Amino acid sequence: NAGVMQNPRHLVRRRGQEARLRCSPMKGHSHVYWYRQLPEEGLKFMVYLQKENIIDESGMPKERFSAEFPKEGPSILRIQQVVRGDSAAYFCASSPGQGFGQPQHFGDGTRLSIL
Amino acid sequence: RKEVEQDPGPFNVPEGATVAFNCTYSNSASQSFFWYRQDCRKEPKLLMSVYSSGNEDGRFTAQLNRASQYISLLIRDSKLSDSATYLCVVNGGSGTYKYIFGTGTRLKVLA
């Protein structure tokens, strides 16, 4: 399966814990995007990364949230000290390059539930 | 004004009907446009890109009107399997790769 791989599919955390969401882009794709979808709402852009670089993090909360895309391994979205409002579906997407008109391909998402 | 606006619906149509959705965007510098579909909170799946001259893919036709800043999607001969939420996607403007998603239009095709 050469698609975008996200894990875990479901993640349950208690308030105050840390959540780590992983995303492996499609083969040949070097651009990764993270989105959050709250219940009954649309997808909200969080961050755009290339290998070892954060290109645009304008949609990411300034506190508790961080993202990385190391040279080796998957992209990680990290949420520290989770709160109930962090409960959402987090989708990762990838694209092959920087050219305009490049569609993004999505993973299955991680459903994060905060108890 | 929202960056990308869609009528949330739902649109309930009988099988075989033709249905059209519109989407408006606020940033005149946007250059890339797409329609995605999303089923039952699953991952969005690319339906089609939207080109300036308009484009067709089987029963689906997409149009772009830059002057009025809207995009449309036409579905002909609706199938039950077309029931989904259709997301309008626009890039955030010149020089940015951030894509802005509309909240989606729900379509339900009835037998």
Side-chain angles (χ1 to χ4, degrees):
Chain A
N1 184 353
V4 179
M5 303 298 293
Q6 287 188 250
N7 67 83
R9 292 289 299 275
H10 300 274
L11 182 61
V12 179
R13 285 287 178 266
R14 295 188 182 280
R15 281 178 294 171
Q17 292 184 320
E18 178 180 287
R20 281 188 179 231
L21 289 63
R22 288 176 289 279
C23 169
S24 296
M26 282 181 73
K27 190 175 182 180
H29 287 192
S30 57
H31 299 249
V32 166
Y33 313 80
W34 285 94
Y35 295 85
R36 177 165 64 176
Q37 188 171 33
L38 295 170
E40 305 305 320
E41 292 189 15
L43 276 83
K44 301 293 184 192
F45 167 82
M46 298 182 75
V47 61
Y48 161 43
L49 309 102
Q50 296 176 25
K51 282 287 186 182
E52 299 185 276
N53 287 307
I54 296 175
I55 306 303
D56 183 344
E57 57 182 346
S58 58
M60 202 147 73
K62 294 286 185 283
E63 297 179 353
R64 302 190 298 108
F65 285 73
S66 62
E68 62 177 10
F69 189 14
K71 188 176 179 181
E72 302 290 339
S75 175
I76 306 287
L77 179 67
R78 182 180 177 208
I79 311 172
Q80 296 178 288
Q81 298 175 319
V82 295
V83 300
R84 287 254 170 86
D86 296 333
S87 295
Y90 291 83
F91 290 101
C92 169
S94 71
S95 67
Q98 290 187 351
F100 290 112
Q102 299 269 5
Q104 297 173 14
H105 299 270
F106 283 80
D108 292 342
T110 293
R111 274 79 181 162
L112 175 64
S113 298
I114 309 302
L115 302 179
Chain B
R1 183 185 173 187
K2 288 184 181 177
E3 293 178 278
V4 178
E5 285 201 74
Q6 294 184 252
D7 181 343
F11 285 61
N12 296 321
V13 303
E15 263 188 297
T18 295
V19 60
F21 308 135
N22 284 335
C23 162
T24 59
Y25 61 95
S26 61
N27 191 336
S28 60
S30 296
Q31 297 177 328
S32 303
F33 310 90
F34 308 93
W35 283 102
Y36 281 72
R37 68 173 279 170
Q38 187 175 28
D39 296 82
C40 296
R41 314 297 293 177
K42 293 186 178 178
E43 79 277 19
K45 291 185 178 175
L46 177 67
L47 183 64
M48 57 197 305
S49 302
V50 185
Y51 303 119
S52 296
S53 55
N55 49 300
E56 188 174 307
D57 183 1
R59 297 181 294 108
F60 299 85
T61 301
Q63 297 278 355
L64 167 63
N65 185 319
R66 285 189 187 273
S68 301
Q69 294 180 210
Y70 79 80
I71 306 151
S72 65
L73 177 68
L74 182 78
I75 306 175
R76 290 182 299 278
D77 188 23
S78 300
K79 312 289 184 193
L80 293 175
S81 59
D82 293 334
S83 297
T85 297
Y86 289 83
L87 308 174
C88 173
V89 183
V90 176
N91 89 299
S94 177
T96 175
Y97 306 100
K98 181 169 77 174
Y99 284 4
I100 311 298
F101 281 72
T103 52
T105 298
R106 283 171 48 206
L107 171 66
K108 187 163 186 180
V109 181
L110 308 170

